[in-house]
Coordinates of all heavy atoms in Angstrom, one line a residue:
M1 N -17.0 -259.2 62.9 CA -15.7 -258.6 63.1 C -15.7 -257.5 64.2 O -14.9 -257.5 65.1 CB -15.1 -258.1 61.8 CG -13.8 -257.4 62.0 SD -12.5 -258.5 62.6 CE -11.5 -258.8 61.2
A2 N -16.7 -256.6 64.0 CA -16.8 -255.5 65.0 C -17.0 -256.1 66.4 O -16.4 -255.6 67.4 CB -17.9 -254.6 64.6
E3 N -17.9 -257.1 66.5 CA -18.2 -257.7 67.8 C -17.0 -258.3 68.4 O -16.7 -258.1 69.6 CB -19.3 -258.7 67.6 CG -19.9 -259.3 68.9 CD -21.0 -260.3 68.6 OE1 -21.8 -260.0 67.8 OE2 -20.9 -261.4 69.3
E4 N -16.2 -259.0 67.6 CA -15.0 -259.7 68.1 C -13.9 -258.7 68.5 O -13.2 -258.8 69.4 CB -14.4 -260.7 67.1 CG -15.3 -261.9 66.9 CD -15.6 -262.7 68.2 OE1 -14.9 -262.5 69.2 OE2 -16.5 -263.5 68.2
C5 N -13.8 -257.6 67.7 CA -12.9 -256.5 68.0 C -13.2 -255.9 69.3 O -12.4 -255.6 70.2 CB -12.8 -255.5 66.9 SG -11.9 -256.0 65.4
G6 N -14.5 -255.7 69.6 CA -15.0 -255.2 70.9 C -14.6 -256.1 72.0 O -14.2 -255.6 73.1
E7 N -14.7 -257.4 71.8 CA -14.3 -258.3 72.9 C -12.8 -258.3 73.1 O -12.3 -258.4 74.2 CB -14.8 -259.7 72.5 CG -16.3 -259.9 72.5 CD -16.8 -261.2 72.0 OE1 -16.0 -262.1 71.6 OE2 -18.1 -261.3 71.9
L8 N -12.0 -258.1 72.0 CA -10.6 -258.0 72.2 C -10.2 -256.7 72.9 O -9.4 -256.8 73.8 CB -9.9 -258.0 70.8 CG -8.4 -257.9 70.8 CD1 -7.7 -258.9 71.6 CD2 -7.9 -257.9 69.3
V9 N -10.9 -255.6 72.6 CA -10.7 -254.4 73.4 C -11.0 -254.6 74.9 O -10.2 -254.2 75.7 CB -11.5 -253.2 72.8 CG1 -11.5 -252.0 73.8 CG2 -11.1 -252.8 71.4
Q10 N -12.1 -255.3 75.2 CA -12.4 -255.6 76.6 C -11.3 -256.4 77.3 O -10.9 -256.1 78.4 CB -13.7 -256.3 76.7 CG -14.9 -255.5 76.5 CD -16.2 -256.3 76.8 OE1 -16.3 -257.5 76.5 NE2 -17.2 -255.7 77.4
A11 N -10.8 -257.4 76.6 CA -9.7 -258.2 77.2 C -8.5 -257.4 77.4 O -7.8 -257.5 78.5 CB -9.4 -259.4 76.3
C12 N -8.1 -256.5 76.5 CA -7.0 -255.6 76.6 C -7.2 -254.7 77.8 O -6.3 -254.4 78.6 CB -6.7 -254.8 75.4 SG -6.1 -255.8 74.0
M13 N -8.4 -254.1 77.9 CA -8.6 -253.1 78.9 C -8.6 -253.7 80.3 O -8.2 -253.1 81.3 CB -10.0 -252.4 78.7 CG -10.0 -251.6 77.4 SD -8.6 -250.4 77.3 CE -9.0 -249.3 78.6
K14 N -9.1 -255.0 80.4 CA -9.0 -255.7 81.7 C -7.5 -255.9 82.2 O -7.2 -255.7 83.3 CB -9.7 -257.0 81.7 CG -11.2 -256.9 81.7 CD -11.9 -258.2 81.7 CE -13.4 -258.0 81.7 NZ -14.2 -259.2 81.4
I15 N -6.7 -256.2 81.2 CA -5.2 -256.3 81.5 C -4.6 -255.0 81.9 O -3.9 -254.9 82.9 CB -4.5 -257.0 80.3 CG1 -4.9 -258.4 80.2 CG2 -3.0 -256.8 80.5 CD1 -4.4 -259.1 79.0
Q16 N -5.0 -253.9 81.2 CA -4.5 -252.6 81.5 C -5.0 -252.2 82.9 O -4.2 -251.6 83.7 CB -5.0 -251.6 80.5 CG -4.4 -250.2 80.7 CD -4.9 -249.2 79.8 OE1 -6.1 -249.1 79.5 NE2 -4.0 -248.4 79.2
R17 N -6.2 -252.5 83.3 CA -6.8 -252.1 84.6 C -6.2 -253.0 85.7 O -5.9 -252.5 86.8 CB -8.3 -252.2 84.6 CG -9.0 -251.0 84.9 CD -10.5 -251.1 84.8 NE -10.9 -251.3 83.4 CZ -11.8 -252.2 83.0 NH1 -12.4 -253.0 83.8 NH2 -12.1 -252.3 81.8
H18 N -6.2 -254.3 85.5 CA -5.9 -255.2 86.6 C -4.5 -255.9 86.5 O -4.1 -256.7 87.4 CB -7.0 -256.3 86.7 CG -8.4 -255.7 86.8 ND1 -8.8 -255.0 87.9 CD2 -9.4 -255.7 85.9 CE1 -10.1 -254.6 87.7 NE2 -10.4 -255.0 86.5
G19 N -3.8 -255.8 85.4 CA -2.5 -256.4 85.2 C -2.7 -257.8 84.5 O -3.8 -258.3 84.4
L20 N -1.5 -258.3 84.2 CA -1.4 -259.6 83.5 C -1.5 -260.7 84.5 O -0.8 -260.7 85.5 CB -0.1 -259.7 82.7 CG 0.0 -259.2 81.3 CD1 1.4 -259.4 80.8 CD2 -1.0 -260.0 80.4
D21 N -2.4 -261.7 84.3 CA -2.3 -262.9 85.0 C -2.7 -264.0 84.1 O -3.2 -263.7 83.0 CB -3.2 -262.9 86.3 CG -4.7 -262.9 86.0 OD1 -5.1 -263.4 84.9 OD2 -5.4 -262.4 86.9
P22 N -2.4 -265.3 84.4 CA -2.6 -266.3 83.4 C -4.1 -266.4 82.9 O -4.3 -266.7 81.7 CB -2.3 -267.6 84.2 CG -1.3 -267.2 85.3 CD -1.8 -265.8 85.6
Q23 N -5.1 -266.1 83.7 CA -6.5 -266.2 83.3 C -6.7 -265.1 82.2 O -7.4 -265.3 81.2 CB -7.4 -266.0 84.5 CG -8.8 -266.4 84.2 CD -9.7 -266.2 85.4 OE1 -9.2 -266.0 86.6 NE2 -11.0 -266.3 85.3
R24 N -6.2 -263.9 82.5 CA -6.4 -262.8 81.5 C -5.7 -263.0 80.2 O -6.1 -262.6 79.2 CB -6.1 -261.5 82.2 CG -7.1 -261.1 83.2 CD -6.8 -259.6 83.7 NE -7.6 -259.4 85.0 CZ -7.1 -259.5 86.2 NH1 -5.8 -259.6 86.3 NH2 -7.8 -259.3 87.2
V25 N -4.5 -263.6 80.3 CA -3.7 -264.0 79.1 C -4.5 -265.0 78.3 O -4.6 -264.9 77.1 CB -2.3 -264.5 79.5 CG1 -1.6 -265.0 78.2 CG2 -1.5 -263.3 80.1
T26 N -5.1 -266.0 79.0 CA -5.9 -266.9 78.3 C -7.1 -266.3 77.5 O -7.4 -266.5 76.4 CB -6.5 -268.0 79.2 OG1 -5.4 -268.7 79.8 CG2 -7.4 -269.0 78.5
A27 N -7.8 -265.3 78.2 CA -8.9 -264.6 77.6 C -8.3 -263.7 76.4 O -9.0 -263.7 75.4 CB -9.5 -263.7 78.6
L28 N -7.2 -263.1 76.6 CA -6.6 -262.4 75.5 C -6.3 -263.2 74.3 O -6.6 -262.9 73.1 CB -5.3 -261.7 76.0 CG -4.6 -260.8 75.0 CD1 -5.4 -259.6 74.6 CD2 -3.2 -260.4 75.5
I29 N -5.7 -264.4 74.5 CA -5.4 -265.3 73.4 C -6.7 -265.7 72.7 O -6.7 -265.8 71.5 CB -4.7 -266.6 74.0 CG1 -3.3 -266.2 74.4 CG2 -4.6 -267.7 72.9 CD1 -2.6 -267.3 75.3
E30 N -7.7 -266.0 73.5 CA -9.0 -266.4 72.8 C -9.5 -265.3 71.9 O -9.9 -265.5 70.8 CB -10.1 -266.7 73.9 CG -9.8 -268.0 74.6 CD -10.8 -268.3 75.7 OE1 -11.8 -267.5 75.8 OE2 -10.6 -269.2 76.5
E31 N -9.5 -264.0 72.4 CA -10.0 -262.9 71.6 C -9.1 -262.6 70.4 O -9.6 -262.3 69.3 CB -10.3 -261.7 72.5 CG -11.3 -261.9 73.6 CD -12.6 -262.5 73.1 OE1 -12.9 -262.4 71.9 OE2 -13.3 -263.1 73.9
V32 N -7.8 -262.7 70.6 CA -6.9 -262.5 69.4 C -7.2 -263.6 68.4 O -7.3 -263.3 67.2 CB -5.4 -262.6 69.9 CG1 -4.5 -262.7 68.7 CG2 -5.1 -261.3 70.7
G33 N -7.4 -264.8 68.8 CA -7.7 -265.9 67.9 C -9.0 -265.7 67.2 O -9.1 -265.9 66.0
D34 N -10.0 -265.2 67.9 CA -11.3 -264.9 67.3 C -11.2 -263.8 66.2 O -11.7 -264.0 65.1 CB -12.3 -264.4 68.3 CG -12.8 -265.5 69.3 OD1 -12.4 -266.7 69.1 OD2 -13.5 -265.2 70.3
V35 N -10.4 -262.8 66.5 CA -10.2 -261.7 65.5 C -9.4 -262.2 64.3 O -9.8 -261.9 63.2 CB -9.6 -260.5 66.2 CG1 -9.1 -259.5 65.1 CG2 -10.6 -259.8 67.2
Q36 N -8.4 -263.0 64.6 CA -7.5 -263.5 63.5 C -8.3 -264.4 62.6 O -8.2 -264.4 61.4 CB -6.3 -264.3 64.1 CG -5.3 -264.7 63.0 CD -4.7 -263.5 62.3 OE1 -4.0 -262.8 62.9 NE2 -4.9 -263.4 61.0
C37 N -9.2 -265.2 63.2 CA -10.1 -266.1 62.4 C -10.9 -265.2 61.4 O -11.1 -265.6 60.2 CB -11.0 -266.9 63.4 SG -12.3 -267.8 62.5
L38 N -11.5 -264.1 61.9 CA -12.3 -263.3 61.0 C -11.5 -262.5 60.0 O -11.9 -262.3 58.9 CB -13.2 -262.4 61.9 CG -14.3 -263.2 62.6 CD1 -14.9 -262.3 63.7 CD2 -15.3 -263.6 61.7
I39 N -10.3 -262.1 60.4 CA -9.4 -261.5 59.4 C -9.1 -262.5 58.3 O -9.2 -262.2 57.1 CB -8.0 -261.1 60.1 CG1 -8.3 -259.9 61.0 CG2 -7.0 -260.7 59.0 CD1 -7.1 -259.6 62.0
D40 N -8.8 -263.8 58.7 CA -8.5 -264.8 57.7 C -9.7 -265.0 56.8 O -9.6 -265.1 55.6 CB -8.2 -266.1 58.4 CG -6.8 -266.1 59.1 OD1 -6.1 -265.1 58.9 OD2 -6.5 -267.0 59.9
L41 N -10.9 -265.0 57.4 CA -12.2 -265.2 56.6 C -12.4 -264.1 55.6 O -12.8 -264.3 54.5 CB -13.4 -265.3 57.5 CG -13.7 -266.7 58.0 CD1 -14.9 -266.7 59.0 CD2 -14.1 -267.6 56.8
M42 N -12.1 -262.8 56.1 CA -12.2 -261.7 55.2 C -11.3 -261.8 53.9 O -11.7 -261.5 52.8 CB -11.9 -260.4 55.9 CG -13.0 -260.1 56.9 SD -12.6 -258.6 57.9 CE -13.3 -257.3 57.0
Q43 N -10.2 -262.4 54.2 CA -9.2 -262.6 53.0 C -9.7 -263.8 52.2 O -9.7 -263.7 50.9 CB -7.8 -262.8 53.6 CG -7.3 -261.6 54.2 CD -6.0 -261.8 55.1 OE1 -5.9 -262.7 55.7 NE2 -5.1 -260.8 55.0
V44 N -10.2 -264.8 52.8 CA -10.7 -266.0 52.0 C -11.9 -265.5 51.1 O -12.0 -266.0 50.0 CB -11.1 -267.1 53.0 CG1 -11.9 -268.2 52.2 CG2 -9.8 -267.8 53.6
H45 N -12.7 -264.6 51.7 CA -13.9 -264.2 50.9 C -13.6 -262.9 50.1 O -14.5 -262.2 49.7 CB -15.1 -264.0 51.9 CG -15.6 -265.2 52.5 ND1 -16.4 -266.1 51.7 CD2 -15.4 -265.8 53.7 CE1 -16.7 -267.1 52.5 NE2 -16.1 -267.0 53.7
N46 N -12.3 -262.7 49.9 CA -11.9 -261.6 48.9 C -12.4 -260.2 49.3 O -12.6 -259.4 48.4 CB -12.4 -261.9 47.5 CG -11.8 -263.2 47.0 OD1 -10.6 -263.5 47.2 ND2 -12.6 -264.1 46.5
V47 N -12.6 -260.0 50.6 CA -12.8 -258.6 51.0 C -11.6 -257.8 50.9 O -11.6 -256.6 50.6 CB -13.4 -258.6 52.5 CG1 -13.5 -257.2 53.0 CG2 -14.7 -259.4 52.6
M48 N -10.4 -258.5 51.2 CA -9.1 -257.9 51.0 C -8.1 -259.1 50.7 O -8.5 -260.2 51.0 CB -8.7 -257.2 52.3 CG -8.6 -258.1 53.5 SD -8.6 -257.3 55.1 CE -10.3 -256.7 55.2
T49 N -7.0 -258.7 50.3 CA -6.0 -259.8 50.0 C -4.9 -259.8 51.1 O -4.8 -258.9 51.9 CB -5.2 -259.5 48.7 OG1 -4.4 -258.3 48.8 CG2 -6.2 -259.3 47.5
F50 N -4.3 -261.0 51.2 CA -3.2 -261.1 52.2 C -2.1 -260.1 51.9 O -1.5 -259.5 52.8 CB -2.6 -262.5 52.1 CG -3.6 -263.6 52.6 CD1 -4.4 -264.3 51.8 CD2 -3.6 -263.9 54.0 CE1 -5.2 -265.3 52.3 CE2 -4.5 -264.8 54.5 CZ -5.3 -265.5 53.7
E51 N -1.9 -259.8 50.6 CA -0.8 -258.9 50.2 C -1.1 -257.5 50.7 O -0.3 -256.8 51.1 CB -0.6 -258.9 48.7 CG 0.0 -260.2 48.1 CD -1.0 -261.4 48.1 OE1 -2.3 -261.2 48.1 OE2 -0.5 -262.5 48.1
E52 N -2.4 -257.1 50.5 CA -2.8 -255.7 51.0 C -2.6 -255.6 52.5 O -2.1 -254.6 53.0 CB -4.3 -255.5 50.6 CG -4.5 -255.3 49.2 CD -6.0 -255.3 48.8 OE1 -6.8 -256.0 49.5 OE2 -6.3 -254.6 47.8
V53 N -3.0 -256.6 53.2 CA -2.8 -256.6 54.7 C -1.3 -256.6 55.0 O -0.9 -255.8 55.9 CB -3.6 -257.8 55.4 CG1 -3.3 -257.8 56.9 CG2 -5.1 -257.6 55.1
D54 N -0.5 -257.4 54.4 CA 0.9 -257.5 54.6 C 1.6 -256.1 54.4 O 2.4 -255.7 55.2 CB 1.6 -258.5 53.7 CG 1.3 -259.9 54.2 OD1 0.9 -260.1 55.4 OD2 1.6 -260.9 53.4
K55 N 1.1 -255.4 53.3 CA 1.6 -254.1 53.0 C 1.3 -253.1 54.2 O 2.2 -252.3 54.6 CB 1.0 -253.6 51.8 CG 2.0 -253.2 50.7 CD 1.3 -252.4 49.6 CE 1.1 -253.3 48.4 NZ 0.5 -252.7 47.2
R56 N 0.1 -253.2 54.7 CA -0.3 -252.3 55.8 C 0.5 -252.7 57.1 O 0.8 -251.8 57.9 CB -1.8 -252.4 56.0 CG -2.3 -251.6 57.2 CD -2.0 -250.1 57.0 NE -2.1 -249.4 58.3 CZ -1.9 -248.1 58.4 NH1 -1.6 -247.3 57.4 NH2 -2.1 -247.6 59.6
I57 N 0.8 -254.0 57.3 CA 1.6 -254.4 58.5 C 2.9 -253.7 58.4 O 3.4 -253.2 59.5 CB 1.7 -255.9 58.5 CG1 0.4 -256.5 58.9 CG2 2.8 -256.3 59.5 CD1 0.3 -258.1 58.7
E58 N 3.5 -253.6 57.3 CA 4.8 -252.9 57.1 C 4.7 -251.4 57.5 O 5.6 -250.9 58.1 CB 5.4 -253.2 55.8 CG 5.8 -254.6 55.5 CD 6.7 -255.2 56.6 OE1 7.6 -254.6 57.0 OE2 6.3 -256.4 57.1
V59 N 3.6 -250.8 57.0 CA 3.4 -249.4 57.3 C 3.3 -249.2 58.8 O 3.9 -248.3 59.4 CB 2.1 -248.9 56.6 CG1 1.8 -247.5 57.1 CG2 2.3 -248.9 55.1
K60 N 2.5 -250.1 59.5 CA 2.3 -249.9 60.9 C 3.6 -250.2 61.7 O 3.9 -249.5 62.7 CB 1.2 -250.9 61.4 CG 0.9 -250.8 62.8 CD 0.3 -249.5 63.2 CE -0.1 -249.4 64.7 NZ -0.6 -248.0 65.0
K61 N 4.4 -251.2 61.3 CA 5.7 -251.4 61.9 C 6.6 -250.2 61.8 O 7.2 -249.9 62.8 CB 6.4 -252.6 61.2 CG 6.0 -254.0 61.6 CD 6.8 -255.0 60.9 CE 6.3 -256.4 61.1 NZ 7.0 -257.4 60.3
A62 N 6.6 -249.6 60.7 CA 7.5 -248.4 60.5 C 7.0 -247.3 61.4 O 7.9 -246.6 62.1 CB 7.4 -247.9 59.0
K63 N 5.7 -247.1 61.6 CA 5.2 -246.1 62.5 C 5.6 -246.4 63.9 O 6.0 -245.5 64.7 CB 3.7 -246.0 62.4 CG 3.2 -245.3 61.1 CD 1.7 -245.2 61.2 CE 1.2 -244.5 59.9 NZ -0.3 -244.4 59.9
L64 N 5.4 -247.7 64.3 CA 5.7 -248.1 65.7 C 7.2 -247.9 66.0 O 7.6 -247.5 67.1 CB 5.3 -249.5 66.0 CG 3.8 -249.7 66.1 CD1 3.5 -251.2 66.1 CD2 3.2 -249.0 67.3
K65 N 8.1 -248.2 65.0 CA 9.5 -248.0 65.2 C 9.9 -246.6 65.3 O 10.8 -246.2 66.1 CB 10.3 -248.6 64.0 CG 10.3 -250.2 64.0 CD 11.0 -250.7 62.8 CE 10.9 -252.3 62.8 NZ 11.4 -252.9 61.6
Q66 N 9.1 -245.7 64.6 CA 9.4 -244.3 64.7 C 8.9 -243.7 66.0 O 9.5 -242.8 66.6 CB 8.8 -243.5 63.5 CG 9.1 -242.1 63.5 CD 8.6 -241.4 62.3 OE1 7.9 -242.0 61.4 NE2 8.9 -240.1 62.1
W67 N 7.7 -244.1 66.4 CA 7.0 -243.3 67.5 C 6.8 -244.1 68.8 O 6.2 -243.6 69.7 CB 5.6 -242.9 67.0 CG 5.6 -242.1 65.8 CD1 5.3 -242.4 64.5 CD2 6.0 -240.7 65.8 NE1 5.5 -241.3 63.7 CE2 5.9 -240.3 64.4 CE3 6.5 -239.8 66.7 CZ2 6.3 -239.0 64.0 CZ3 6.9 -238.5 66.3 CH2 6.8 -238.1 65.0
S68 N 7.3 -245.3 68.9 CA 7.2 -246.1 70.1 C 8.5 -246.8 70.4 O 9.4 -246.8 69.6 CB 6.1 -247.1 70.1 OG 6.4 -248.2 69.4
S69 N 8.6 -247.4 71.6 CA 9.8 -248.2 71.9 C 9.5 -249.7 71.8 O 10.3 -250.5 72.3 CB 10.3 -247.9 73.3 OG 9.2 -248.1 74.2
L70 N 8.4 -250.1 71.2 CA 8.0 -251.5 71.1 C 9.0 -252.4 70.4 O 9.0 -253.6 70.7 CB 6.6 -251.6 70.5 CG 5.5 -251.0 71.3 CD1 4.2 -251.0 70.5 CD2 5.3 -251.8 72.6
Y71 N 9.8 -251.8 69.5 CA 10.7 -252.6 68.7 C 12.1 -252.5 69.3 O 13.1 -253.1 68.7 CB 10.7 -252.3 67.2 CG 9.6 -252.9 66.5 CD1 8.4 -252.3 66.3 CD2 9.7 -254.3 66.0 CE1 7.3 -252.9 65.6 CE2 8.6 -254.9 65.3 CZ 7.4 -254.2 65.1 OH 6.4 -254.8 64.5
D72 N 12.3 -251.7 70.3 CA 13.7 -251.5 70.9 C 14.2 -252.8 71.6 O 13.4 -253.6 72.1 CB 13.7 -250.4 71.9 CG 13.4 -249.0 71.2 OD1 13.5 -249.0 69.9 OD2 13.2 -248.1 71.9
Ligands
LIG101 MG1 -14.7 -263.5 71.0

């Protein structure tokens, strides 16, 4: 998971540095998929439940709505 999160950070940072283009979006999709795969596996292997993660998603959404314009 840590390794895949690092790869996702790299894909995000390349977009931040060089901008969005189709090749970088493809790389971003690949890394998001890799991380999502491992998130799913952690839930399948009972490291955490889907409900616990869903609860946290709601907390994060509330923070973003309060402190960012991402939901505007
Ligand atoms: Mg990867």
Side-chain angles (χ1 to χ4, degrees):
M1 176 60 107
E3 189 178 316
E4 291 302 345
C5 286
E7 291 173 5
L8 178 55
V9 168
Q10 279 187 327
C12 290
M13 295 309 293
K14 282 182 185 171
I15 289 170
Q16 186 182 43
R17 239 179 289 135
H18 307 292
L20 270 178
D21 70 25
Q23 193 179 350
R24 289 189 194 101
V25 171
T26 298
L28 182 65
I29 292 166
E30 287 177 11
E31 297 309 337
V32 167
D34 290 353
V35 169
Q36 186 64 62
C37 174
L38 290 165
I39 291 169
D40 292 349
L41 271 174
M42 290 174 93
Q43 292 167 323
V44 166
H45 290 285
N46 300 314
V47 176
M48 62 194 74
T49 67
F50 288 96
E51 292 75 21
E52 289 168 329
V53 175
D54 286 345
K55 237 190 255 181
R56 178 58 196 184
I57 289 169
E58 293 310 313
V59 170
K60 183 63 178 177
K61 277 185 190 172
K63 286 182 179 183
L64 288 172
K65 284 176 184 172
Q66 184 176 4
W67 300 108
S68 81
S69 58
L70 292 172
Y71 280 95
D72 293 348

